[in-house]
Amino acid sequence: MPEPIRAVEHELTALLRRGRAVSWEIAREVHPNLEPNTYGLLLWLRRSGSIRLTELAARLGVGKGTLSRQINGLEALGLVNRDPDPSDRRAAQISLTDEGQRRFDLARSARLGEFLRALDDWPARDVEEFARLLGRFNDSWK
């Protein structure tokens, strides 16, 4: 195995470990009973506004059953709405409630502050390149 690939694996493992810890913290900030693995789901919902359950499952790479259970939990916490899709009454449109959006935005602001502190002494060009490369890497997993 080429050494640069091993270095990528090492650094990604460290990043993922740190990301899980941050997700725990942020999830608790959004709601004390929120499961940490649902932060990414809330992020997608915040970005997309309203999205069909099947489309969200495809974007996240999870099964509809798993996603539906997570959505049920978020609904019970008052963070998510599930409404009939006007174009297909059998389908559901998922979106953040006003309270879910407010809580998410507050918690996300703290997280972005941490990123800002970590990247503060980086040249803007490096931050842009880092974001571009991370996007490219993530796109290669689709």
Side-chain angles (χ1 to χ4, degrees):
M1 185 65 55
E3 191 54 37
I5 299 299
R6 290 177 196 266
V8 166
E9 180 211 19
H10 173 78
E11 295 303 330
L12 280 176
T13 299
L15 179 64
L16 292 171
R17 186 176 53 248
R18 184 171 293 116
R20 278 191 300 274
V22 168
S23 288
W24 274 93
E25 293 169 21
I26 297 229
R28 297 295 173 245
E29 287 178 37
V30 172
H31 192 284
N33 298 327
L34 186 66
E35 293 183 31
N37 60 347
T38 56
Y39 177 80
L41 172 56
L42 293 174
L43 178 61
W44 273 101
L45 289 171
R46 182 65 174 102
R47 277 192 198 152
S48 55
S50 182
I51 188 169
R52 289 177 86 168
L53 182 75
T54 52
E55 184 180 343
L56 185 58
R59 284 189 183 182
L60 295 172
V62 298
K64 288 191 305 186
T66 298
L67 182 59
S68 189
R69 282 188 296 281
Q70 290 177 333
I71 294 296
N72 288 341
L74 293 171
E75 272 186 299
L77 296 175
L79 302 174
V80 167
N81 285 324
R82 185 190 315 234
D83 297 309
D85 186 328
S87 64
D88 181 354
R89 291 301 211 185
R90 297 168 296 162
Q93 286 283 127
I94 310 300
S95 61
L96 291 177
T97 62
D98 290 342
E99 180 65 7
Q101 186 171 316
R102 185 189 70 75
R103 287 174 173 254
F104 176 82
D105 288 349
L106 281 170
R108 186 177 188 208
S109 177
R111 184 178 203 179
L112 291 175
E114 292 294 319
F115 288 155
L116 184 60
R117 280 187 282 287
L119 299 169
D120 188 47
D121 62 345
W122 286 36
R125 250 185 157 158
D126 287 357
V127 175
E128 290 167 7
E129 181 67 1
F130 184 53
R132 186 188 71 74
L133 290 171
L134 281 174
R136 181 176 168 195
F137 180 79
N138 284 329
D139 286 346
S140 70
W141 284 83
K142 292 178 183 175

